[in-house]
Amino acid sequence: MTADPIAFEFFNEIGIIDQLSGTILDRALPPGMTRAQFAVLNHFVRLRLNEQSPAQLANAFQVTRPTMTSTLSRLARAGLVAIRDDPTDGRAKLVTLTNKGRAAREQAMIAVGKVLPLLDAVLDPDEVAVALPILRRLRIALDSARD
């Protein structure tokens, strides 16, 4: 075993947890919904957004604009988001979460909730309550350092 820096070990554990939990999430989501689509729906709900441009969404998710456009197109075809021309810039678009999209996010949350007992089996609520502010502080710092 190597003596890797503790910060590397920390981020390595987060990366492995992300991969494992992502697979669990993929399996729990309703049929036809991808993790990327769920993430966009959840982004609107979590941040209480009215609308964002595809460029803003691509930046938030750190993906290319074509990748985000593809995800948004699929969501729009399903009626989960609405995409309209930006009235201030005819070349730009604005994306809004629809009521159907909000309902689909809630259905996905119910499906995902069925796997949450996995967390309860490993960590008690007090441990989660202690870890969550630390993880949020780390997320905020990493988010502000990315540009």
Side-chain angles (χ1 to χ4, degrees), residues 13-109:
E13 290 297 328
I14 290 173
I16 294 168
I17 290 166
D18 175 58
Q19 184 175 10
L20 295 169
S21 62
T23 299
I24 291 169
L25 176 62
D26 288 340
R27 292 177 183 157
L29 287 173
M33 182 177 288
T34 67
R35 192 183 329 172
Q37 293 166 349
F38 172 73
V40 170
L41 300 178
N42 191 56
H43 180 75
F44 274 96
V45 172
R46 185 177 69 86
L47 297 178
R48 297 184 176 119
L49 299 172
N50 290 328
E51 59 186 8
Q52 282 207 302
S53 72
Q56 289 172 310
L57 290 164
N59 183 54
F61 287 96
Q62 298 187 73
V63 298
T64 65
R65 287 183 189 184
T67 297
M68 183 54 67
T69 298
S70 175
T71 299
L72 293 173
S73 295
R74 289 187 187 119
L75 288 169
R77 279 194 301 275
L80 304 179
V81 299
I83 302 173
R84 66 179 180 92
D85 291 335
D86 183 337
T88 62
D89 180 353
R91 298 167 299 158
K93 303 286 184 194
L94 292 172
V95 180
T96 307
L97 183 65
T98 65
N99 288 336
K100 185 176 178 183
R102 189 172 305 281
R105 187 265 185 186
E106 293 310 311
Q107 289 175 329
M109 289 298 293

Side-chain angles (χ1 to χ4, degrees), residues 46 129 131-143:
R46 185 177 69 86
L132 195 53
I134 295 167
L135 292 172
R136 279 194 182 121
R137 193 170 73 234
L138 177 61
R139 175 188 46 85
I140 290 166
L142 292 173
D143 191 40

